[in-house]
Amino acid sequence: MPIRPEKRAELLKRMRLLGVRECDLEERFVRGSGHGGQKVNKTSNCVCLLHIPSGIAVKCHREREREVNRFLARRALCDELDRRLHGARSAREMERARARRRRKTRRRKQIRVTNRKTGDSGAGRGESGGLTS
């Protein structure tokens, strides 16, 4: 499963924006382990990536192919660097916050639907904002 050129270009653009250059990366390939059978155990497809200026180290062995793991390791490095530079304003953190808000809204809607079905007003539990008796 090779990486699509659009995804590769997107990653390179993101690396440029974060100031990550290929010459700043130290890349090693080590033997993998775990699921995948003989292919994984015999080949060095686990990628260890070190960003020398920041000291961030990433190890990726999610897939069987070395090229895919190289791509995923670089993406994980960018995520970590973005998180350290921008904290709560990083793209990943903002996406997580958006997902939390969606889940919270979904739960509220489910509670409202349940209350309508049962005829329960929710008073006393603070769900409808009514007075407790």
Side-chain angles (χ1 to χ4, degrees):
M1 170 184 104
I3 305 298
R4 291 193 325 251
E6 309 90 55
K7 283 194 168 199
R8 190 176 303 278
E10 184 181 317
L11 178 65
L12 291 174
K13 180 182 173 186
R14 187 167 179 216
M15 287 173 66
R16 228 177 302 121
L17 287 173
L18 290 171
V20 178
R21 299 177 307 178
E22 284 293 326
C23 63
D24 292 339
L25 300 176
E26 183 179 301
E27 188 174 43
R28 290 180 320 178
F29 303 104
V30 295
R31 292 256 169 100
S33 62
H35 299 294
Q38 184 178 13
K39 167 83 171 154
V40 169
N41 297 328
K42 286 177 68 175
T43 59
S44 298
N45 57 3
C46 181
V47 178
C48 297
L49 202 58
L50 173 68
H51 184 242
I52 297 168
S54 65
I56 297 174
V58 174
K59 189 173 184 180
C60 183
H61 185 238
R62 260 181 46 191
E63 301 293 330
R64 288 176 63 175
E65 293 91 12
R66 180 188 285 190
E67 279 304 309
V68 175
N69 285 331
R70 288 181 76 202
F71 173 81
L72 294 173
R74 280 169 173 69
R75 193 166 68 181
L77 178 78
C78 287
D79 287 345
E80 181 62 24
L81 195 58
D82 189 27
R83 189 187 65 76
R84 287 190 186 184
L85 289 175
H86 301 114
R89 292 181 171 252
S90 72
R92 187 172 186 105
E93 290 300 319
M94 289 177 76
E95 180 58 35
R96 283 182 178 170
R98 201 173 300 125
R100 277 194 297 270
R101 285 193 300 270
R102 279 194 303 259
R103 283 193 299 270
K104 189 175 182 181
T105 303
R106 198 175 308 130
R107 278 193 299 258
R108 282 184 187 157
K109 286 179 182 177
Q110 286 174 347
I111 289 171
R112 279 189 223 138
V113 169
T114 304
N115 290 344
R116 285 185 192 138
K117 286 180 181 176
T118 61
D120 186 11
S121 67
R125 289 193 304 254
E127 292 166 355
S128 67
L131 297 173
T132 57
S133 46

